[in-house]
Amino acid sequence: MKNLGILLSGRGSNFEAIAKNVAAGRIPNAKISVVISNRADAGGIATAQRLGITALVIPSKGKGRESHDREVAAALQQHKVDFVCLAGYMRLLSPWFVRQFPYKILNIHPSLLPAFPGLEAQEQAFAYGVKVTGCTVHFVDEELDHGPIIVQKTVPVLDTDDEHSLAARILEQEHIAYSEAINLVLHRKFKIEGRRLKLIS
Ligand code: GRF
């Protein structure tokens, strides 16, 4: 059994999709052992409580990055977390935190990286006029939206789209992509050559 720890700051729809897939047996041998938010008002915390999943709020306000990260890491270790899933976690992680969990931290980003890193990626893609965008699940390294890619899903940009309809269709794919990536890192054998993740079995 592998324990997942989810870090989030807001709505928590990616967390909820993962939780549903775990409950339905679509991510075998996995358990969400803790959900941690840096914001007390995160919708994801209420969802965790509703689902009976341990939920913690560790406020970040007024704290140095690394000292907050040390509190979060201690909570993750206390809950015996094997993999950390960032799901709308609006904090940059300190290099110290990243080093505690090498190739054990996953993030989801709503664009086809390396295009449109950072905030409001869907709006960035829409404004740029790309015809295809999507989402990326990747390992976290010390740079923003940067580590080796695990799964990507494409989404066409339609002439009838606005930023909101596009973001909604990307989100549907995010909910599929994240569980697929978790299954891959949990249950497949892979190696990482440079930036490339290659499946071995
Ligand atoms: C998603 O679009 C995710 O890609 C980005 O933040 C958003 C979080 O949404 N990192 P939710 O809180 O999972 O609903």
Side-chain angles (χ1 to χ4, degrees):
M1 182 66 73
K2 296 286 186 200
N3 286 331
L4 308 177
I6 310 272
L7 302 187
L8 52 77
S9 304
R11 181 175 58 180
S13 73
N14 276 287
F15 151 59
E16 191 169 2
I18 295 165
K20 282 191 175 147
N21 284 333
V22 168
R26 289 190 288 265
I27 308 178
N29 299 317
K31 182 189 166 191
I32 299 177
S33 59
V34 67
V35 175
I36 302 175
S37 172
N38 62 316
R39 297 181 52 125
D41 60 356
I45 287 292
T47 303
Q49 287 163 345
R50 179 163 52 78
L51 297 175
I53 297 172
T54 305
L56 303 176
V57 176
I58 304 181
S60 51
K61 220 174 175 178
K63 287 176 194 156
R65 191 175 305 289
E66 192 176 309
S67 68
H68 179 253
D69 280 357
R70 282 181 186 271
E71 285 182 52
V72 173
L76 291 168
Q77 274 145 8
Q78 207 182 330
H79 289 86
K80 306 205 172 341
V81 163
D82 300 294
F83 288 91
V84 180
C85 301
L86 309 184
Y89 189 58
M90 303 305 285
R91 296 269 301 168
L92 281 174
L93 295 172
S94 60
W96 176 85
F97 186 96
V98 174
R99 283 197 300 269
Q100 304 311 299
F101 302 95
Y103 294 108
K104 301 284 181 200
I105 312 173
L106 284 66
N107 181 43
I108 186 153
H109 184 76
S111 74
L112 294 174
L113 289 171
F116 312 119
L119 291 175
E120 297 181 346
Q122 307 95 322
E123 288 82 350
Q124 291 185 53
F126 185 80
Y128 197 91
V130 296
K131 298 298 185 192
V132 178
T133 182
C135 62
T136 304
V137 184
H138 64 93
F139 285 116
V140 170
D141 65 10
E142 294 184 16
E143 286 176 57
L144 178 68
D145 298 330
H146 179 266
I149 291 169
I150 306 166
V151 168
Q152 289 187 307
K153 299 275 179 204
T154 57
V155 174
V157 183
L158 309 176
D159 288 343
T160 49
D161 267 329
D162 60 17
E163 295 92 328
H164 305 290
S165 60
L166 179 61
R169 290 209 321 290
I170 294 172
L171 192 63
E172 281 174 22
Q173 293 304 309
E174 291 185 41
H175 294 166
I176 298 166
Y178 217 149
S179 293
E180 204 174 298
I182 293 169
N183 265 322
L184 191 156
V185 300
L186 254 50
H187 302 305
R188 304 286 298 269
K189 281 204 167 57
F190 62 86
K191 59 180 174 183
I192 293 174
E193 288 179 357
R195 295 190 42 86
R196 296 181 59 76
L197 182 148
K198 280 197 196 166
L199 289 176
I200 298 168
S201 67

